[in-house]
Amino acid sequence: MMKNNIAFITGATSGFGRAAARRFAQDGWSLVLSGRRMERLIELKEELTDVPVHIIQLDVRDEEAVQQAVAELPAEFAQVKLLLNNAGLALAPQGAPQVELKDWHTMIDTNIKGLVNVTHALLPRLIETGAGATILNVGSIAGQWPYPGSHVYGASKAFVKQFSYNLRCDLQGTGVRVTDLAPGIAETEFTLVRTKGDQQASDNLYNGTTPLSAEDIAEQMFYIATLPDHININRVEVMPTRQAWSAFAIDRD
């Protein structure tokens, strides 16, 4: 293991981000953990006592706050090797005609603008790190495969996929790697957020099957970020074995 590896993780207060913090801590990485819920960040820092941890209460949608947070990173956390763009959400599982416009805007502002804000702020540091530095963007199978109720969420994750590919082109020669990690169904707080707290809807989604766990995805993240410097995985699409595609829908008389 290389010393002084530093990971900057957005959305570290739950789900994939929290699991990733724990997984990278197991390997001795120093962590910059950001999220909107300060109490959860404090709890996670108190848990991960074996590695240096810097926490930032941060809404990635706030461009100025993101720039300030990166500019004010303590010296011991400044040489970021991994940017894990995990902050994101889905809202409004109803069909597009039933959705409130503000929910679309929230997804665009978080999943697209937030990711862009953090990436742009950290690019100089990642380029300075050079070989082995990694930008790992959390996409979704929804960015590749349409389904009813995905509307702006799926479109935002399609942006993540194409942005990742385009970054690869622009960063060629810097040593910085870029990956779009696209999970399928995973049991986290995702559906609770999407349904604005409907626990029954969340339970129904995962009942009777075997979804991915946050730890499953964290293990993929760790694998991608610790590959030899000359290897770049462009995209990983991972589903549970019990999830697959459905037939095309056909409207009939």
Side-chain angles (χ1 to χ4, degrees):
M1 182 195 73
M2 294 181 63
K3 295 182 179 179
N4 301 322
N5 287 335
I6 300 167
F8 189 113
I9 302 174
T10 67
T13 55
S14 66
F16 300 154
R18 184 169 59 188
R22 291 167 173 161
R23 180 62 186 89
F24 281 89
Q26 288 177 14
D27 203 57
W29 284 57
S30 298
L31 303 172
V32 179
L33 306 178
S34 73
R36 291 183 296 167
R37 292 172 284 190
M38 191 61 176
E39 69 283 359
R40 289 200 177 187
L41 291 172
I42 293 171
E43 290 174 2
L44 192 54
K45 182 176 181 178
E46 291 175 347
E47 173 190 337
L48 304 176
T49 56
D50 292 337
V51 296
V53 178
H54 176 62
I55 58 176
I56 309 170
Q57 186 173 24
L58 183 65
D59 186 337
V60 296
R61 297 174 295 180
D62 187 333
E63 175 187 351
E64 292 185 2
V66 169
Q67 292 176 347
Q68 181 178 354
V70 172
E72 295 179 353
L73 283 174
E76 61 269 31
F77 294 95
Q79 198 68 49
V80 176
K81 185 173 184 181
L82 167 67
L83 166 56
L84 178 48
N85 275 317
N86 170 71
L89 79 169
L91 295 171
Q94 304 85 6
Q98 288 79 47
V99 174
E100 294 185 33
L101 181 59
K102 66 179 182 180
D103 286 338
W104 279 3
H105 285 174
T106 298
M107 287 185 281
I108 291 168
D109 289 344
T110 307
N111 299 352
I112 296 178
K113 290 184 179 179
L115 180 145
V116 167
N117 288 341
V118 179
T119 302
H120 190 269
L122 279 168
L123 266 179
R125 294 174 185 266
L126 291 159
I127 292 171
E128 183 179 351
T129 299
T134 305
I135 300 172
L136 209 171
N137 296 325
V138 178
S140 169
I141 61 170
Q144 178 77 15
W145 309 106
Y147 63 87
S150 184
H151 39 78
V152 165
Y153 174 68
S156 71
K157 292 303 185 178
F159 173 90
V160 173
K161 178 179 69 172
Q162 194 61 38
F163 182 58
S164 300
Y165 290 168
N166 292 346
L167 275 177
R168 282 271 289 123
C169 295
D170 291 342
L171 293 174
Q172 187 175 21
T174 66
V176 180
R177 309 180 290 191
V178 187
T179 299
D180 170 34
L181 175 59
I185 185 174
E187 189 168 5
T188 64
E189 294 180 4
F190 176 88
T191 302
L192 274 179
V193 172
R194 190 173 202 180
T195 60
K196 299 183 178 179
D198 188 338
Q199 183 65 56
Q200 189 60 55
S202 180
D203 293 343
N204 290 343
L205 179 64
Y206 307 118
N207 185 46
T209 190
T210 310
L212 300 171
S213 68
E215 291 72 24
D216 292 332
I217 298 303
E219 198 62 43
Q220 297 298 314
M221 293 169 171
F222 181 77
Y223 171 73
I224 292 166
T226 56
L227 284 167
D229 294 351
H230 68 286
I231 300 176
N232 189 109
I233 294 184
N234 298 326
R235 186 169 188 268
V236 174
E237 183 177 287
V238 53
M239 297 185 194
T241 305
R242 299 182 73 180
Q243 181 183 26
W245 306 273
S246 296
F248 285 108
I250 300 174
D251 181 35
R252 302 182 187 277
D253 295 330

